[in-house]
Amino acid sequence: MTGRHRSGGHRVAVTGIGVKSPAGNDLEEAYTTVLKAEGTAASLAGWLVEQDHPVHFGCLVPPFDLEAYLTRRETRQIDRTTQLLLCAAADAVADARLPADLPPERVGAQIGTGIGGLPSMEAVTLSHGDRPREMPVHTVPRTMANSPACRLAMRYGYQGACTTYSSACASGTTAVGEAARKIRYGELDVAVAGGVDSAVTTVVVGAFARMRAMSTRNAEPELASRPFDVDRDGFVMGEGAAVLVLERMDSARTRGARVYGEIAGYADTCDASHIVAPREDGETAARCMRQAIADAGLRPADIGHVNAHGTSTLLNDRAEARAVDRCFAGQPPPLTAVKGVTGHLIGGSGALEAALALLCAERGLVPPIANLRASAESDLVDLVVAAPRTVPTAPVLSNSFGFGGQNACLVLVPEG
């Protein structure tokens, strides 16, 4: 099955994927880890415990060879957020095998981030806040929220639209969706799109903990992120980046590119009700899902499974379950949520989850939700538990919802 846009335009292929995540540093590794449904959160005792921090665990990207991607000079000039983005992008671009003669003005960089340069600003404030005359010379470019997108464009010479999207936890999904729109309507031929954040820091984690949004299971971090579980007590902060190379389907076919699938539908809405809490009835989130599905030229019954936002917070999971129930009129397809494994990558989560959702749809295997034992939402949604579930090859709906009531949904159609 392939999606067809009601409004016409070019079809949008996914021809490259790069991942730097707590679940693994390439797509296959991340996919295998997610299928095992084992949490990756671990204690960060080296610094958070010493500060008597209320939360001292998180999900970090496993070590990898940074020098294989960046020179030492680049590493000094850019912060970890941009480092992760550039490394994931390098893998995605290599995977896509883009032609060397692409017109640079027809290629864009489209990146989402929810936190942006805040961790770098936090670090420099703590180290040099009382010595402003000694501020590191690279402070401003390291802390600019648009640095990841601009550094990406500079590295490859992309002169098309270079845009940074910040829609809280929906940022990565927004970036991929808006990039697809630019290709669909002829503004770009190719877009390197994705999301990134690296926010496992003292101030950021402390601020979310103060809101009581984070799990405090310090004694068992690997069990802390439990989307839709009846005993969930908050999300787990993670870090990471995921990047997708998008291009016109006809061009990808002509050059014989490997096509993972298609970005067939996208929509975004706003609850416009509360700065941090979702709308309880899920209506605007459900409308976002319906619009994304319609944008793909599909019906809800055509969706093979749902990759939920699934933060492991009480209000968000409940609202999302109600939204899915509304969208699918009480007959939802299987639903999974990978944050039980990866934690919440904030701006990076939507792009990572879209990539994983597409691979799951292609292979017909939906991962179980980690740490899910019992759920108060099981009467509303068909939760995948205990073991991977085999499903027919079909389009997948990937959801992202963020503070400010930001909703963004993608419909991805696997190749073949």
Side-chain angles (χ1 to χ4, degrees), residues 307-390:
N307 184 90
H309 185 57
T311 57
S312 184
T313 57
L314 180 64
L315 295 180
N316 282 270
D317 288 3
R318 182 169 296 164
E320 183 169 14
R322 289 170 178 159
V324 171
D325 180 56
R326 280 176 175 268
C327 175
F328 292 94
Q331 296 182 311
L335 180 146
T336 190
V338 304
K339 289 184 179 70
V341 174
T342 66
H344 196 343
L345 312 188
I346 311 298
S349 61
L352 174 65
E353 290 160 16
L356 289 170
L358 184 55
L359 199 61
C360 291
E362 178 189 55
R363 298 181 182 182
L365 200 59
V366 181
I369 301 172
N371 303 320
L372 177 58
R373 303 295 178 264
S375 175
E377 287 74 42
S378 58
D379 61 330
L380 295 174
V381 287
D382 180 12
L383 301 167
V384 180
V385 299
R389 188 182 305 183
T390 301

Side-chain angles (χ1 to χ4, degrees), residues 130-403:
D130 59 344
R131 293 174 291 133
R133 293 181 180 274
E134 300 176 21
M135 284 281 179
V137 69
H138 296 297
T139 296
V140 171
R142 285 171 63 93
T143 57
M144 288 162 37
N146 65 327
S147 282
C150 292
R151 292 281 186 177
L152 170 60
M154 291 166 58
R155 166 166 279 212
Y156 296 102
Y158 300 153
Q159 296 176 9
C162 176
T163 315
T164 299
Y165 301 90
S166 188
S167 50
C169 304
S171 298
T173 295
T174 302
V176 173
E178 294 295 337
R181 279 180 175 171
K182 288 183 181 297
I183 293 173
R184 185 195 299 188
Y185 297 120
E187 296 178 40
L188 296 172
D189 294 331
V190 177
V192 181
V196 63
D197 267 313
S198 180
V200 188
T201 72
T202 300
V203 172
V204 176
V205 172
F208 278 107
R210 186 72 177 86
M211 296 174 63
R212 299 184 179 179
M214 300 195 71
S215 173
T216 56
R217 284 187 167 89
N218 292 310
E220 46 182 9
E222 71 282 359
L223 303 179
S225 186
R226 44 180 67 199
F228 299 99
D229 187 73
V230 69
D231 290 326
R232 62 188 182 268
D233 70 327
F235 80 91
V236 175
M237 185 67 76
E239 64 167 3
V243 174
L244 289 70
V245 175
L246 311 181
E247 59 181 295
R248 285 174 46 172
M249 181 69 80
D250 55 354
S251 299
R253 298 276 191 228
T254 298
R255 72 180 184 87
R258 180 258 171 93
V259 175
Y260 287 92
E262 178 180 358
I263 307 294
Y266 165 65
D268 57 337
T269 64
C270 182
D271 288 353
S273 61
H274 196 281
I275 194 64
V276 294
R279 180 168 161 167
E280 291 185 9
D281 63 5
E283 174 52 37
T284 47
R287 178 160 52 84
C288 190
M289 297 179 208
R290 290 192 293 265
Q291 288 177 354
I293 294 168
D295 187 49
L298 302 173
R299 303 162 300 149
D302 296 322
I303 301 299
H305 80 278
V306 175
N307 184 90
H309 185 57
T311 57
S312 184
T313 57
L314 180 64
L315 295 180
N316 282 270
D317 288 3
R318 182 169 296 164
E320 183 169 14
R322 289 170 178 159
V324 171
D325 180 56
R326 280 176 175 268
C327 175
F328 292 94
Q331 296 182 311
L335 180 146
T336 190
V338 304
K339 289 184 179 70
V341 174
T342 66
H344 196 343
L345 312 188
I346 311 298
S349 61
L352 174 65
E353 290 160 16
L356 289 170
L358 184 55
L359 199 61
C360 291
E362 178 189 55
R363 298 181 182 182
L365 200 59
V366 181
I369 301 172
N371 303 320
L372 177 58
R373 303 295 178 264
S375 175
E377 287 74 42
S378 58
D379 61 330
L380 295 174
V381 287
D382 180 12
L383 301 167
V384 180
V385 299
R389 188 182 305 183
T390 301
V391 297
T393 300
V396 55
L397 174 69
S398 187
N399 292 336
S400 291
F401 309 122
F403 279 3

Side-chain angles (χ1 to χ4, degrees), residues 53-89:
H53 206 283
V55 175
H56 46 79
F57 60 92
C59 295
L60 300 181
V61 173
F64 63 94
D65 184 8
L66 194 60
E67 292 187 359
Y69 297 90
L70 303 170
T71 67
R72 292 185 179 180
R73 181 181 180 185
E74 287 176 315
T75 302
R76 289 194 303 270
Q77 291 179 346
I78 61 180
D79 69 346
R80 182 162 176 81
T81 302
T82 304
Q83 290 174 11
L84 291 174
L85 186 282
L86 289 180
C87 294

